[in-house]
Amino acid sequence: MEAADVARVLRQHHFRMTRERRALLDLFIEADTLLTPAQLHAFAQARDVDVGLTTVYRLLEVLTKAGLASPFLLEGSIYYTFCTDHHHHHFICLNCRHVENIYGCSATVEPPPGCTVSYHRVDLFGRCARCRSDVNVTTP
Ligand SMILES: [Zn+2]
Ligand SMILES: [Zn+2]
Ligand SMILES: [Zn+2]
């Protein structure tokens, strides 16, 4: 999904697009790591994208409602990552918060008898290849 398409979806959800907000969206899409709203805000400030923390929260809320962001609860904080509109799962590195999408669904968990499933989430948490090799370097 192109950033322009995402902007269109946001407008449909009454999120007013400005140049700064569009820049914020681009930063979030490019991040590839889990970010808290405060971290995304700080990241934007560092790139001279002048938006308030309220706008960051609003963007993440609207994206999540539209299925274009996923929230994760880690160590008591809520982190977000941008998501495409194709069904996928996530690998999350617990060390550097890097996110990789996993396509190809192999979920085989059956619901309890009499229940129907509307959607599912399956996410894997661990150490990414780069963090694992960092460990190997420092291990005597
Ligand atoms: Zn995703
Ligand atoms: Zn990592
Ligand atoms: Zn799946």
Side-chain angles (χ1 to χ4, degrees), residues 93 95-98 127-128 130-131:
C93 177
N95 190 50
C96 70
R97 309 277 195 245
H98 172 66
R127 255 176 191 272
C128 73
R130 203 181 54 212
C131 289

Side-chain angles (χ1 to χ4, degrees), residues 17-28 30 44 49:
M17 292 307 287
T18 61
R19 195 172 54 79
E20 298 285 331
R21 288 175 172 203
R22 177 57 194 270
L24 175 68
L25 174 65
D26 288 344
L27 286 180
F28 182 56
E30 286 163 19
V49 176

Side-chain angles (χ1 to χ4, degrees), residues 69-82:
S70 288
F72 295 86
L73 185 62
L74 283 183
E75 293 167 3
S77 297
I78 298 180
Y79 291 77
Y80 292 85
T81 186
F82 176 74

